[in-house]
Amino acid sequence: MLFQSELASHFRLTISRENHIFRRSGSSRSLRNSKMAPPILSLVLPSETGRVLSIQSHTVQGYVGNKSAVFPLQLLGYDVDPINSVQFSNHTGYPTFKGQVLNGQQLWELIEGLEENDLLYYTHLLTGYIGSVSFLSTILEVVNKLRSVNPKLKYVCDPVMGDEGKLYVPPELVSVYREKVVPVASMLTPNQFEAELLTNLRIESEKDGREACNILHAAGPPMVVLTSININGNLFLIGSHQKEKGLSPEQFKIVIPKIPAYFTGTGDLTTALLLGWSNKYPDNLDKAAELAVSSLQALLQRTINDYKSAGHDPKSSSLEIRLIQSQNDIRNPEIKFRAERYT
């Protein structure tokens, strides 16, 4: 949890500058000409939950990447600053899309701009889909930079590489994730295929899923959530929290009902919800996962119902999630899906 006292010394100069600005606010001099930093109340008076830098994709239409993650985190009380790794008209599942792609140098320029204005204090870094080795390498530099400002920074990484046996990033990204990203992550949220890539372990049972979590713990992150594992037609989430190095992790599963439809943005939303709730319940990852899964399932059911009411067959194409319409389920979810702890 983030408290104001943690920021007091770091932002003493900033606060002083802000007080100076407030004293001069009645003068005829324009703030634009004063070269003084404007007051940033979200830094001086931070939210009790935290401040997240979210580096993900962005679409003008629809909810994937940052569009799927930022709003839910804000509903849960976080300040969220998005950096859009791409800006597309729509997600790539449509017949066409247009837009721009941010490269590693452009990402670093944004970080430098924040740093020059003392705006780099974050409690969390969140990353999702990354399409190139150069951009992922810059992400690693960002992690180091943010931790030089706040050593307690938590890095929540969704290592988006593929699904159902299909890789949809350049193959060379796999080794970068495995060798460089996993060791610095605080929480990792791979799906079944991604966990197999990261551990070189075929996951064919719940026992395999738990062992994959153990392998990932040994590499670095104390929290691992395998967000979807399909075993003999049954869908599970498996979570694992190693509270201290060398100790056996607390592990659990949540059985997830299968919904006969394909949605976009659900992985990005799931990771955002896991970040949000795990920070509120830092010693109770299973409770955080229950809240995240319950929110997600309520949202998906609303999405299905709304498409049906509009006369659309939910099985005919990918569905855009009903994020705005589900904000009550995000803010105050009714827990309908319970974690079962492994012994």
Side-chain angles (χ1 to χ4, degrees):
M1 299 286 284
L2 175 67
F3 300 96
Q4 293 180 26
S5 59
E6 295 183 43
L7 293 177
S9 61
H10 181 77
F11 289 108
R12 190 171 293 119
L13 177 59
T14 304
I15 295 171
S16 174
R17 287 175 177 172
E18 288 165 359
N19 289 338
H20 187 61
I21 290 170
F22 283 128
R23 287 197 299 270
R24 292 180 56 183
S25 61
S27 70
S28 59
R29 294 189 180 183
S30 169
L31 179 62
R32 288 174 296 178
N33 298 326
S34 68
K35 294 184 180 180
M36 294 290 183
I40 309 295
L41 290 180
S42 58
L43 293 179
V44 180
L45 303 173
S47 69
E48 294 182 356
T49 44
R51 187 176 192 88
V52 182
L53 180 64
S54 180
I55 305 176
Q56 300 193 62
S57 59
H58 169 83
T59 56
V60 176
Q61 171 67 38
Y63 295 97
V64 299
N66 270 332
K67 284 284 290 288
S68 188
V70 172
F71 180 62
L73 282 168
Q74 290 172 330
L75 286 177
L76 293 177
Y78 294 81
D79 286 312
V80 187
D81 294 342
I83 292 179
N84 299 324
S85 57
V86 305
Q87 178 167 263
F88 289 161
S89 55
N90 43 268
H91 70 71
T92 57
Y94 284 88
T96 65
F97 67 93
K98 293 183 181 295
Q100 301 81 39
V101 177
L102 196 73
N103 61 39
Q105 180 180 350
Q106 291 167 329
L107 168 60
W108 193 249
E109 287 175 358
L110 294 172
I111 297 300
E112 287 180 329
L114 292 170
E115 182 180 28
E116 289 173 4
N117 291 287
D118 292 326
L119 300 175
L120 266 191
Y121 191 100
Y122 289 95
T123 59
H124 296 80
L125 171 66
L126 172 62
T127 63
Y129 175 78
I130 293 168
S132 71
V133 170
S134 62
F135 198 90
L136 186 55
S137 297
T138 305
I139 291 290
L140 290 165
E141 294 182 40
V142 172
V143 174
N144 290 334
K145 176 65 70 174
L146 295 183
R147 283 183 172 156
S148 72
V149 178
N150 176 20
K152 296 181 180 179
L153 175 97
K154 295 179 181 178
Y155 174 26
V156 178
C157 173
D158 183 4
V160 181
M161 294 181 286
D163 199 6
E164 297 181 347
K166 181 181 179 181
L167 192 69
Y168 44 67
V169 297
E172 55 267 27
L173 256 72
V174 177
S175 61
V176 179
Y177 270 112
R178 186 190 301 126
E179 298 168 11
K180 297 182 179 181
V181 177
V182 170
V184 300
S186 308
M187 176 189 285
L188 205 66
T189 62
N191 61 29
Q192 182 173 356
F193 177 59
E194 291 158 351
E196 290 175 339
L197 291 173
L198 293 173
T199 60
N200 290 315
L201 175 68
R202 181 73 174 170
I203 299 175
E204 298 179 330
S205 66
E206 292 180 50
K207 182 179 179 182
D208 293 338
R210 297 176 65 189
E211 179 58 25
C213 291
N214 292 335
I215 293 171
L216 292 170
H217 285 315
M223 289 186 284
V224 177
V225 180
L226 309 187
T227 55
S228 60
I229 294 183
N230 193 330
I231 299 171
N232 299 324
N234 298 310
L235 194 62
F236 301 92
L237 173 149
I238 292 181
S240 186
H241 189 185
Q242 187 180 44
K243 294 183 177 180
E244 289 186 33
K245 278 292 184 184
L247 296 182
S248 297
E250 296 176 357
Q251 297 184 325
F252 61 90
K253 70 176 180 180
I254 299 177
V255 179
I256 302 173
K258 283 191 172 182
I259 298 177
Y262 178 78
F263 306 88
T264 56
T266 54
D268 307 316
L269 173 59
T270 299
T271 298
L273 292 172
L274 286 168
L275 184 163
W277 288 116
S278 66
N279 193 53
K280 290 174 182 286
Y281 297 95
D283 296 320
N284 200 342
L285 183 59
D286 48 353
K287 174 69 175 293
E290 288 177 343
L291 289 159
V293 170
S294 296
S295 279
L296 179 66
Q297 292 300 311
L299 177 147
L300 296 183
Q301 195 57 58
R302 174 174 284 101
T303 300
I304 287 281
N305 294 341
D306 286 356
Y307 271 96
K308 286 181 177 178
S309 68
H312 182 82
D313 180 3
K315 299 179 184 179
S316 63
S317 64
S318 63
L319 308 181
E320 297 278 13
I321 57 175
R322 299 286 277 174
L323 189 68
I324 305 304
Q325 295 76 13
S326 302
Q327 56 187 284
N328 290 335
D329 296 312
I330 294 169
R331 189 185 286 111
N332 297 299
E334 178 184 355
I335 298 179
K336 294 184 177 181
F337 301 90
R338 298 288 181 177
E340 178 183 340
R341 285 203 178 186
Y342 292 107
T343 56

